[in-house]
Amino acid sequence: MITRLSDVKLKDIRGVIFDLDGTLAHSNPDFAGLRRELGIHSGTDILAHINSLSEGETRNKAFEIVHEYERQSSLNASWIDGAKELIEYLQAKSLPLAILTRNMPEAAQITINKLGIDIALVLTRDDAQPKPHPEGIELICQQWQLDPADILYVGDYLFDLQTAQNAGSRCALYCPETIPDYALDADMLVACYHSFIEAWAIDD
């Protein structure tokens, strides 16, 4: 099912950008274990923490740890139910599609290759300032020659919602189980991609 929290009409959406891990693929790293290994508290922004470290061995070691967690989770990636069908549905509608992820390029490509995700435009944290900075959405919209307000960003976490808000885009928050506190700031909540496809067809 989907829950609409704003008056956004899916028929007005002219392009869709997806998060990758936890949105299209079961490929999220073990964030709790990663934070323990890095010695930081639950909820701490991992990339922001590492970037706050002084240049040198400590920072490089932290990135090595992160990279290994990301790589291993990508090697075990699997499709989220309905995500492949959603991509195919949107492609049949000739909507431009892209992926914007905070993951590193190698891990993102492993997931994409493993699952055969048919989306050519992929931006990682090496291509744009990491979410929640809006640069990734802005760069994609420039390529598409579309206004960010005409874009739907689909993600599963607070940073995804904040990225869309910062860019002036719409946001569909994928939350198949527990609905987080910040979900009320999304334009719609998606519990099931099959229902999302049905809702899109109805809006058309």
Side-chain angles (χ1 to χ4, degrees):
M1 62 174 290
I2 72 165
T3 302
R4 299 174 189 265
L5 301 176
S6 76
D7 60 355
V8 61
K9 300 295 183 185
L10 291 169
K11 65 182 178 64
D12 296 329
I13 297 300
R14 300 179 63 194
V16 180
I17 304 173
F18 291 98
D19 172 47
L20 179 59
D21 306 313
T23 299
L24 295 178
H26 294 292
S27 52
N28 271 323
D30 174 10
F31 289 119
L34 178 53
R35 288 188 175 95
R36 283 195 300 271
E37 194 160 343
L38 292 173
I40 56 179
H41 296 295
S42 174
T44 301
D45 183 330
I46 294 169
L47 293 181
H49 164 74
I50 295 176
N51 287 326
S52 72
L53 299 174
S54 300
E55 293 281 356
E57 186 176 343
T58 300
R59 188 176 184 182
N60 291 339
K61 179 61 177 176
F63 269 122
E64 287 176 7
I65 293 170
V66 171
H67 291 170
E68 185 57 23
Y69 269 79
E70 290 178 331
R71 194 177 72 84
Q72 288 300 324
S73 61
S74 293
L75 289 170
N76 295 309
S78 61
W79 278 105
I80 285 177
D81 184 42
K84 184 177 182 180
E85 291 82 357
L86 176 59
I87 290 172
E88 292 170 347
Y89 175 78
L90 297 176
Q91 288 172 332
K93 292 172 61 64
S94 298
L95 286 175
L97 305 180
I99 290 172
L100 174 63
T101 174
R102 277 168 59 104
N103 213 329
M104 67 173 179
E106 178 190 356
Q109 200 59 55
I110 289 172
T111 297
I112 290 167
N113 291 345
K114 184 175 190 294
L115 303 185
I117 298 176
D118 186 19
I119 297 178
L121 181 53
V122 179
L123 267 61
T124 70
R125 62 172 180 257
D126 283 10
D127 304 305
Q129 295 189 60
K131 298 178 290 185
H133 196 283
E135 184 182 25
I137 290 180
E138 293 166 351
L139 290 173
I140 292 168
C141 287
Q142 288 172 16
Q143 289 197 43
W144 289 347
Q145 296 185 320
L146 292 177
D147 191 288
D150 296 326
I151 298 302
L152 182 69
Y153 190 89
V154 183
D156 70 311
Y157 187 57
L158 174 62
F159 291 154
D160 302 310
L161 174 55
Q162 292 173 331
T163 303
Q165 290 176 325
N166 291 338
S169 299
R170 301 294 192 174
C171 179
L173 191 67
Y174 178 65
C175 41
E177 298 174 358
T178 304
I179 298 176
D181 294 340
Y182 53 79
L184 292 177
D185 290 329
D187 292 287
M188 61 187 67
L189 308 181
V190 178
C192 168
Y193 284 137
H194 297 290
S195 297
F196 195 27
I197 294 170
E198 292 173 5
W200 210 304
I202 291 171
D203 266 14
D204 281 349

